Amino acid sequence: MSTAGVLVRCRAAARTYGAGPTAVVAVHGASCEIRAGDRIAITGPSGSGKSTLLHLLAALEVPTTGEVTWPGLAEKPGPKTVGVVFQGPSLIPALDVAENTALPLVLAGQPEPAARRRALDCLDLVDAAHLADKLPEELSGGQAQRVAVARVLAAAPRLILADEPTGQLDQGTGSRVIDALVATADALGAGLVVTTHDPHVARRLREQWSMHDGRLQPGPPTPQDSQPPSPQGDGQ
Ligand code: ADP
Ligand code: MG
């Protein structure tokens, strides 16, 4: 099989938390490939393993069995290559919104004025430029979520992994955030994976995968998940 453009590959990658009778298998042997240009939504109920899978893809978790590799990256994933929008709070409390957004660029050695300009552009993409001088504690959950998205966009990674980035947003704002993720991934030629339990959000991405009880199913949800089978067959 060709490895061209494969940013990350899972081969029967599993992650178990704990041991013995109380062990929880968060992800059962997941196998998948994500390439530059992919636009993937992963849907699934709470507790189905979406966050754990994203953390495996980002090398933030190590698989208990199986393997995760990054054939298209020269080095192990880091903030410059794989950008993660975390599901929970992730902004640095002592930095304002513009500084938080520019931080990955400043850490990578970019001069501060240029980093700030790119940060403000990315904040604008998610309608958050007016929040530039605010501290994280002054933001609503939805505003903080948009800033976390802008921070990943600013870093210009090759793979963007966004964990329920619209979970605290109304449908209009959520759509705008998804549009910003897709537009930036397009501009960078990056891969994009978004977890969500909102079917409206999932449908904005080209490809739909699903998770149930830790089992990843690359491809659209099975027909019985979305509609009952027709008693007349498919009627053709
Ligand atoms: P989702 O993102 O779909 O809600 P998660 O990946 O967060 O699912 O969780 C999958 C399962 O793994 C859940 O049963 C959860 O309780 C468990 N889990 C997740 N993280 C941990 C952890 N650090 N320690 C123990 N159990 C965990
Ligand atoms: Mg989650």
Side-chain angles (χ1 to χ4, degrees):
M1 190 186 292
S2 162
T3 62
V6 176
L7 297 169
V8 55
R9 170 181 295 131
C10 293
R11 280 206 187 103
R15 182 70 172 97
T16 301
Y17 292 109
T22 59
V24 173
V25 184
V27 175
H28 290 270
S31 295
C32 64
E33 284 182 353
I34 295 158
R35 292 163 187 269
D38 280 351
R39 306 284 176 261
I40 298 164
I42 302 180
T43 58
S46 183
S48 59
K50 303 181 298 297
S51 293
T52 304
L53 178 68
L54 240 59
H55 295 168
L56 287 169
L57 297 173
L60 298 170
E61 294 270 8
V62 176
T64 318
T65 59
E67 66 170 15
V68 184
T69 55
W70 295 268
L73 304 182
E75 47 191 300
K76 207 166 140 68
K80 278 189 284 180
T81 51
V82 179
V84 184
V85 181
F86 291 96
Q87 187 172 359
S90 64
L91 301 178
I92 294 176
L95 300 181
D96 71 25
V97 161
E99 290 165 341
N100 260 287
T101 311
L103 187 63
L105 301 173
V106 172
L107 291 177
Q110 209 176 101
E112 221 158 309
R116 186 181 173 87
R117 275 197 304 277
R118 175 150 177 95
L120 292 175
D121 285 347
C122 292
L123 286 166
D124 194 38
L125 280 178
V126 294
D127 298 327
H130 63 292
L131 303 171
D133 298 327
K134 294 209 180 291
L135 288 169
E137 67 186 16
E138 301 175 281
L139 303 179
S140 72
Q143 289 172 336
Q145 208 162 29
R146 277 142 63 202
V147 174
V149 170
R151 181 176 55 181
V152 165
L153 299 182
R158 301 195 41 211
L159 175 61
I160 300 172
L161 305 171
D163 200 0
E164 308 214 23
T166 64
Q168 297 182 57
L169 304 177
D170 61 79
Q171 200 171 317
T173 314
S175 295
R176 179 114 167 99
V177 164
I178 297 296
D179 288 347
L181 284 162
V182 171
T184 304
D186 286 349
L188 297 170
L192 172 64
V193 181
V194 176
T195 71
T196 178
H197 43 241
D198 182 345
H200 293 287
V201 169
R203 278 198 288 273
R204 298 186 78 90
L205 295 164
R206 203 160 51 223
E207 213 174 317
Q208 269 109 56
W209 296 1
S210 58
M211 282 198 86
H212 288 279
D213 297 329
R215 294 180 197 283
L216 172 68
Q217 184 169 22
T222 53
Q224 60 264 32
D225 284 341
S226 48
Q227 59 194 92
S230 160
Q232 305 298 323
D234 64 10
Q236 295 299 307

